[in-house]
Amino acid sequence: MEQIRKRAGWSVAVSALALSLAAMGSVQAKEVTDADILADGTGNSSQVVTHGLGTKGQRFSPLAKVNPQTVKNLVPVWSFSFGGEKQRGQQSQPIVFDGKMYVTASYSRIFALDMKTGEKLWKYEHRLPDGIMPCCDVINRGAAIYGNLVIFGTLDAQLVALDKDTGKVVWKEKIEDYKAGYSFTAAPQIVKGMVITGNSGGEFGIVGRVDARDAKTGKLIWTRPTVEGHMGFKYDKEGKQVENGISGTTNATWPGDLWKTGGAAPWLSAYYDPDVNLIFIGTGNPSPWNSWLRPGDNLYSSSTLAIDPDTGKIVWHYQTTPHDGWDFDGVNEFVSFDYKDPKSGKMVKAGGKADRNGFFFVLDRTNGKLKNAFPFVNRHDWADRIDLETGRPVYNDDKRPPNPFAEGQGEGEAKKGKPVFAAPSFLGGKNQMPMAYSPKTGYFYVPSNEWGMDIWNEPVSYKRGAAYLGAGFTIKPLNEDYIGSLRAVDPVSGKIVWEVKNNAPLWGGVLTTGGNLVFYGTPEGFLKAIDATNGKELWKFQTGSGIIAPPITWEDNGEQYIAVVSGWGGAVPLWGGDVAKRVNMLEQGGSVWVFKLHKS
Ligand code: CA
């Protein structure tokens, strides 16, 4: 009797559940957990739920079905057009979860697509005001996903969280005021249930800042400014602001009031290593570009910052270009990896960074101590080398654009200083396009560029919402036959193991796999597969427009998929000077391509 009653109760409960599910119209979709986030790139290959295929940003997938033997059979499965008249630069890394792909597009758009068929499930177009001021095209680099939300940032410096299954807006928060020059283009990163973002606008004298919000509600948990002198805050459950410390010492590395408009925008994604419980994020140029107006190191500009996710405090910093005078920024991703120290034989918890300034830095990621630094480009005029003892660059002073106010400088009323030619150009030995690291080969795969610039300084004063440079420039190629070069970099020996040159500047990211392949796209429109050991090109496919976005891979039903977004644009055609002229035949576009192995 007892048994029967129990069974009856169970069956009533089941019917009630079935009824409520029927009432909702569908079975509850899967939610993204913290465990899913941390499993990316290692444990679960059926998903891509982080920017970087793992919060460490290695962009390595253990998947191996597509490999040097099989890659010749890689064929497109579907392609989806972002449509409309809104083309321009497409820099997004898609997210893949539970049979769906979430991909952002130019002009602050996001699409949900059926992963198998490419069918559109929903789209959201953010309504943008007229006065947005993105420095470097109307791009977006991707979304984050957590719980039942996809979260992405907009050109008017807002964060929008949408129900991943319906596309309905769940919360929306303002990061900062776009009228003061703030914008947002990076992919947010999820760390311990928080959505971590920086901001953009270093060319407008904004103040860089890293924010942590409750990913489910959008409410601020902490903020950490990246210009020394500004106060950071924590927020309690009621949203009350509590100070959590000043960023360094006011006026220690900035003269006068310049720290109030100091730039240092952390405009790319944050990364996170759970082993050391640190968030790593890079900061951009000090404002203005004219370095004569701001003697000192100008902390924490052009640096890598390690931030404690639990307090929002800066645990360590390493400045790759102290007193930056070339807009080298320092935003490039700091990618956690481990290696055996050849001298001591001990394993080092390290991080690698291919900086815009042309040097590759290897730091101990537990404390920020410099372990190795070497150039990954052929020309680095601004500094001979990085001193491994002091951790500082050995500058070539005659390659800093001269002081327009000095004797013999300052021509005419505009007081334009004399130009110098220096390499890399401000678009960098490497820019926003993320590199990849393979634990199999131990190499970083760095999408680099060889170019220089004429650069000069001139007077400037801060005006809210106006460009704040105090500099002029023309970018020039260094070689006739190539600008771009995909380079395999050994972080321990400091050697370039192989390189594949490319006519146009490389502006897309890189993926590497357990199949010992490196995937990357070119502005000429090709997605290419390269042997990770020797650099041999094994496969390529023309996507119809330039690729300036990083590829991804995942597995479904025993098959390995590769995807990449295509659509030429970004900073090069806007800022590239003589280089822009060289690439002006490239056509715009806006689509995502998905590939898998052809079954014969
Ligand atoms: Ca900059």
Side-chain angles (χ1 to χ4, degrees), residues 202-203 267 284-285 289 327-329 356:
E203 275 59 54
W267 55 264
N285 61 284
W289 285 18
D327 185 37
F328 282 148
D329 285 22
R356 212 153 116 172

Side-chain angles (χ1 to χ4, degrees), residues 420-444:
V420 291
F421 185 82
S425 78
F426 70 88
L427 288 177
K430 176 181 160 302
N431 202 288
Q432 53 80 31
M433 52 287 195
M435 62 184 180
Y437 172 77
S438 170
K440 275 187 79 151
T441 60
Y443 302 154
F444 281 90

Side-chain angles (χ1 to χ4, degrees), residues 203 258 287-294 325 400-406 409-420 454-462 467-474 575:
E203 275 59 54
L258 272 116
S287 294
W289 285 18
N290 181 344
S291 62
W292 299 97
L293 296 170
R294 42 171 175 75
R400 181 180 293 275
N403 185 351
F405 307 104
Q409 292 284 332
E411 296 162 16
E413 273 184 36
K415 279 272 181 195
K416 182 184 153 183
K418 290 198 172 114
V420 291
D454 284 325
I455 181 167
W456 61 90
N457 283 163
E458 54 201 27
V460 68
S461 52
Y462 176 76
Y468 186 46
L469 301 183
F473 44 80
T474 307
W575 295 80

Side-chain angles (χ1 to χ4, degrees), residues 170-241:
V170 175
W171 59 258
K172 203 188 273 189
E173 293 287 335
K174 182 169 145 181
I175 296 171
E176 256 296 351
D177 186 0
Y178 73 87
K179 290 179 188 143
Y182 289 88
S183 59
F184 193 84
T185 53
Q189 198 75 271
I190 303 293
V191 176
K192 295 180 150 182
M194 300 183 290
V195 54
I196 307 296
T197 53
N199 57 22
S200 304
E203 275 59 54
F204 299 94
I206 59 97
V207 175
R209 202 179 71 219
V210 183
D211 293 339
R213 292 165 192 275
D214 183 323
K216 298 211 164 148
T217 64
K219 294 284 165 265
L220 271 173
I221 293 173
W222 54 255
T223 69
R224 170 55 47 187
T226 54
V227 181
E228 193 175 38
H230 291 268
M231 182 68 76
F233 295 97
K234 270 194 96 152
Y235 297 82
D236 64 17
K237 287 238 155 44
E238 280 73 49
K240 208 172 134 249
Q241 202 177 46

Side-chain angles (χ1 to χ4, degrees), residues 373-391:
F374 53 89
F376 65 94
V377 293
N378 295 333
R379 271 187 73 165
H380 41 89
D381 299 349
W382 71 282
D384 276 343
R385 62 190 171 85
I386 308 297
D387 187 316
L388 293 181
E389 290 302 314
T390 64

Side-chain angles (χ1 to χ4, degrees), residues 293-313:
L293 296 170
R294 42 171 175 75
D297 279 356
N298 314 131
L299 291 173
Y300 298 98
S301 65
S302 302
S303 302
T304 293
L305 303 182
I307 298 177
D308 181 342
D310 302 318
T311 63
K313 288 185 196 258

